[in-house]
Amino acid sequence: MTTSDNEWLNPSADLTLSRDEIHVWRADLDPPTSHLQLLAKTLSADERNRAERFYFEQHRNRFIAGRGILRTILARYLGIDPSEVQFGYEPRGKPILAETSGDSRLCFNLSHSQGLALYAVGRDRALGIDLEYIRPISDTEQLAKRFFSAQEYAVIRALPPSQKQETFFRYWTCKEAYLKATGDGLAQLDQIEILLAPEKPASELRLPSSLGTQDWVLQELTPTANYVAALVVAGQGWHLRSWQFL
């Protein structure tokens, strides 16, 4: 099942998150200047320093927007001011909420591409999300041969040119979402096999026994035109709600 563009709803003021829900937020990283200034005020001193290291203004502003929006979304669930949200990091760099933020059960992950970002939030479940803007790649088949399984490479190779790019990025986002959920690096891309067809959403995530026995659920998302995305969540029995960040 995919989430189409017209299913991204405006959240209610009393929005809550139950354990059997996963919330995914879509956000524009190029907000009006007045909004960007408000988001900048929520950042920590370290985040402001990181923003200043960007050479190009657009990249700097998108970093500010991305972190400010993340803080605003998480603060909504935590019941605190966005500036009070504190982060920690897992050994491989995956961001997590610091215990001082007040709700260790709240899990999140984010991804951005060009001027769009997606944020996934859940409770007591590992999760990962990945987003990619569909752009021309000259060596699609070579990349698929290097990073994908033999079956996935065969699928890419057999497709007409008009379908290769999008299908490549769909494979990539599904794999990357899993690796972000687990916190593992890209070295395992070829060990993760995704069952999908150009005209159908991904149906299965196949993992070798060496990667453990955890039950993972994969769902493709359609954020907007020319983008693909995927969400991977630990365990069954949840449903997705998709929100538009204003």
Side-chain angles (χ1 to χ4, degrees):
M1 186 177 83
T2 60
T3 298
S4 64
D5 187 51
N6 59 9
E7 293 177 309
W8 298 85
L9 306 175
N10 296 327
S12 62
D14 59 348
L15 178 68
T16 59
L17 174 69
S18 65
R19 192 183 181 281
D20 63 354
E21 291 179 336
I22 301 296
H23 290 185
V24 173
W25 295 75
R26 181 179 66 176
D28 179 7
L29 294 183
D30 297 313
T33 301
S34 58
H35 192 187
L36 184 67
Q37 291 171 344
L38 293 175
L39 292 171
K41 292 179 179 179
T42 71
L43 303 191
S44 67
D46 176 65
E47 288 168 331
R48 288 194 292 270
N49 289 335
R50 288 173 61 186
E52 289 304 316
R53 297 190 194 115
F54 286 93
Y55 181 80
F56 293 106
E57 182 180 24
Q58 183 185 62
H59 297 165
R60 180 168 59 252
N61 288 346
R62 284 179 175 175
F63 174 82
I64 292 170
R67 296 296 289 201
I69 291 169
L70 173 63
R71 286 177 165 277
T72 303
I73 290 171
L74 294 177
R76 185 164 188 169
Y77 298 109
L78 295 168
I80 61 178
D81 189 85
S83 63
E84 297 175 348
V85 177
Q86 296 184 22
F87 299 102
Y89 295 89
E90 293 183 348
R92 292 183 180 270
K94 181 180 180 180
I96 57 175
L97 276 173
E99 293 183 2
T100 52
S101 288
D103 189 347
S104 60
R105 299 180 304 145
L106 198 67
C107 305
F108 71 93
N109 199 235
L110 65 149
S111 183
H112 58 85
S113 184
Q114 298 291 333
L116 192 69
L118 294 181
Y119 303 83
V121 187
R123 292 191 185 277
D124 297 319
R125 296 176 184 269
L127 48 78
I129 195 164
D130 194 56
L131 168 73
E132 293 289 345
Y133 178 73
I134 301 172
R135 56 196 181 276
I137 297 180
S138 60
D139 53 351
T140 304
E141 287 191 21
Q142 290 80 0
L143 288 171
K145 186 175 183 180
R146 178 181 177 186
F147 292 111
F148 294 177
S149 71
Q151 177 61 33
E152 292 166 340
Y153 170 60
V155 171
I156 292 287
R157 191 176 182 186
L159 290 173
S162 61
Q163 294 182 327
K164 286 185 189 291
Q165 304 288 338
E166 181 174 351
T167 305
F168 173 87
F169 282 115
R170 288 177 62 202
Y171 273 128
W172 187 275
T173 55
C174 290
K175 291 169 178 282
E176 179 74 355
Y178 166 77
L179 294 173
K180 292 177 71 176
T182 61
D184 294 330
L186 293 177
Q188 297 176 322
L189 270 177
D190 62 342
Q191 298 181 50
I192 307 157
E193 188 165 85
I194 310 298
L195 296 187
L196 62 78
E199 69 283 358
K200 296 179 180 180
S203 60
E204 189 177 343
L205 175 69
R206 289 182 176 176
L207 304 171
S209 58
S210 61
L211 296 182
T213 59
Q214 170 69 59
D215 183 22
W216 297 96
V217 176
L218 164 67
Q219 183 164 333
E220 284 192 274
L221 311 173
T222 306
T224 191
N226 299 319
Y227 282 87
V228 293
L231 171 71
V232 170
V233 180
Q236 304 279 344
W238 55 270
H239 63 277
L240 177 66
R241 302 185 76 182
S242 303
W243 307 113
Q244 176 65 45
F245 182 85
L246 300 178

